[in-house]
């Protein structure tokens, strides 16, 4: 289940991509399939080991085109182990709401992104997330949990402050908002509640079968209750004077 829409966020074969806070690796895997040279980075060693296994399995199965590469590694989002301007593309999905120094993370992403490069940022959307917080303290008051809720304008403002130029935005995963509301209402760790079990079956059916009915329903509901807010931006090229070259 992808949150980034690659029809709005073009990716070319050979692009060097950083999936920052990659988690289980869903976006990293998609970039690898599209021919990118991918680095999936996360602080969770166990998840990184699993991502590395899946990269190896994809290579063995021939799922990635010739020239594509994939590396999974542990790392700190506030101290990335890469030189300046290392990546054509940076993706950070459902991560920034966990990190106290979100401005520091944005600064590091901008540092390692090449001028002209593209960045995709996704976070929980303000409205649906507020409902979750209101229904359950256990939803967010856990180690490593969500520490803030972004309003769209706030996130876009921080991206601009970091030197990025936002060019697009949308909402995603509307069908998942009611699921999390049910989870929060019946207990975040209570997977046996009948409404939660029933709705989970619906989501699994949607993900596995991709029926037209749920696709159309989600597209219609995304502007209203989409679970995630997605923003796309570019890093501007430096003016000619700043690079020490004369404008032609």
């Amino acid at each position: 289940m992808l949150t980034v829409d690659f029809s709005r966020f073009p990716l070319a074969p050979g692009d060097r991509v950083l999936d920052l806070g990659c988690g289980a690796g869903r976006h990293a895997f998609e970039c690898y399939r599209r021919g990118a040279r991918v680095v999936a980075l996360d602080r969770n060693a166990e998840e990184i080991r699993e991502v590395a296994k899946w990269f190896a399995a994809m290579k063995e199965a021939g799922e990635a085109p010739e020239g594509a590469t994939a590396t999974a590694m542990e790392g700190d989002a506030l101290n990335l182990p890469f030189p300046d301007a290392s990546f054509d593309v940076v993706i950070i999905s459902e991560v920034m709401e966990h990190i106290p120094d979100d401005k520091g993370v944005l600064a590091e992403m901008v540092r390692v992104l090449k001028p002209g490069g593209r960045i995709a940022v996704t976070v929980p959307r303000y409205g649906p997330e507020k409902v979750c917080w209101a229904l359950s303290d256990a939803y967010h008051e856990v180690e490593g949990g969500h520490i803030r809720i972004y309003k769209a304008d706030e996130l876009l403002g921080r991206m601009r402050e970091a030197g990025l130029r936002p060019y697009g935005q949308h909402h995603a995963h509307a069908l998942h908002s009611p699921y999390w509301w049910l989870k929060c209402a019946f207990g975040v760790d209570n997977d046996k509640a009948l409404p939660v079990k029933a709705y989970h079956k619906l989501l699994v059916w949607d993900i596995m079968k991709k029926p037209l009915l749920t696709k159309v329903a989600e597209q219609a509901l995304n502007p209203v209750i989409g679970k995630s807010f997605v923003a796309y931006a570019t890093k501007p090229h430096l003016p000619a004077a700043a690079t020490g070259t004369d404008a032609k």
Side-chain angles (χ1 to χ4, degrees):
M1 184 186 70
L2 298 174
T3 307
V4 172
D5 181 351
F6 286 93
S7 69
R8 309 180 194 219
F9 189 65
L11 189 68
D15 276 351
R16 191 151 192 245
V17 177
L18 173 63
D19 185 1
L20 181 56
C22 64
R26 58 201 171 102
H27 289 105
F29 300 149
E30 180 65 19
C31 293
Y32 190 31
R33 290 188 187 99
R34 290 171 178 261
R37 295 174 292 157
V38 183
V39 176
L41 184 144
D42 200 283
R43 63 184 295 181
N44 187 311
E46 184 176 344
E47 287 195 310
I48 284 298
R49 285 192 292 270
E50 286 300 311
V51 170
K53 289 178 183 178
W54 278 106
F55 278 151
M58 290 173 67
K59 182 178 181 180
E60 181 69 21
E63 289 189 39
E66 185 176 353
T69 62
T71 302
M73 61 185 295
E74 288 182 65
D76 180 358
L78 289 164
N79 186 23
L80 295 174
F82 310 112
D84 296 355
S86 297
F87 294 94
D88 302 289
V89 172
V90 176
I91 297 171
I92 184 165
S93 182
E94 311 301 300
V95 173
M96 288 182 56
E97 68 275 8
H98 297 271
I99 300 176
D101 186 8
D102 58 343
K103 291 184 179 180
V105 172
L106 275 168
E108 272 292 86
M109 289 190 291
V110 171
R111 180 184 68 78
V112 302
L113 186 64
K114 294 178 181 178
R118 303 172 304 286
I119 188 167
V121 180
T122 91
V123 296
R125 185 183 186 177
Y126 184 82
E129 186 77 348
K130 285 286 283 186
V131 173
C132 289
W133 283 44
L135 289 171
S136 171
D137 290 337
Y139 170 79
H140 64 96
E141 290 182 357
V142 294
E143 184 178 354
H146 299 183
I147 62 171
R148 70 175 65 83
I149 307 176
Y150 288 100
K151 291 184 177 179
D153 288 347
E154 178 188 6
L155 179 62
L156 293 171
R158 294 194 185 193
M159 293 171 70
R160 292 187 182 98
E161 288 173 6
L164 295 166
R165 288 182 181 168
Y167 68 84
Q169 62 190 68
H170 64 90
H171 301 100
H173 310 318
L175 295 182
H176 288 251
S177 289
Y179 173 71
W180 281 103
W181 297 339
L182 288 170
K183 288 270 287 181
C184 290
F186 286 94
V188 174
D189 298 320
N190 181 11
D191 293 326
K192 295 182 179 180
L194 184 58
V196 175
K197 289 174 65 175
Y199 203 97
H200 184 262
K201 287 182 179 180
L202 170 68
L203 293 180
V204 171
W205 175 69
D206 172 55
I207 292 169
M208 299 301 295
K209 300 297 184 181
K210 298 180 173 62
L212 179 61
L213 176 63
T214 54
K215 180 179 180 180
V216 171
E218 184 153 81
Q219 287 176 343
L221 289 171
N222 272 337
V224 184
I225 59 168
K227 183 75 169 67
S228 295
F229 173 69
V230 189
Y232 305 107
T234 59
K235 178 179 177 178
H237 288 280
L238 291 173
T243 63
T245 59
D246 295 328
K248 302 294 184 182

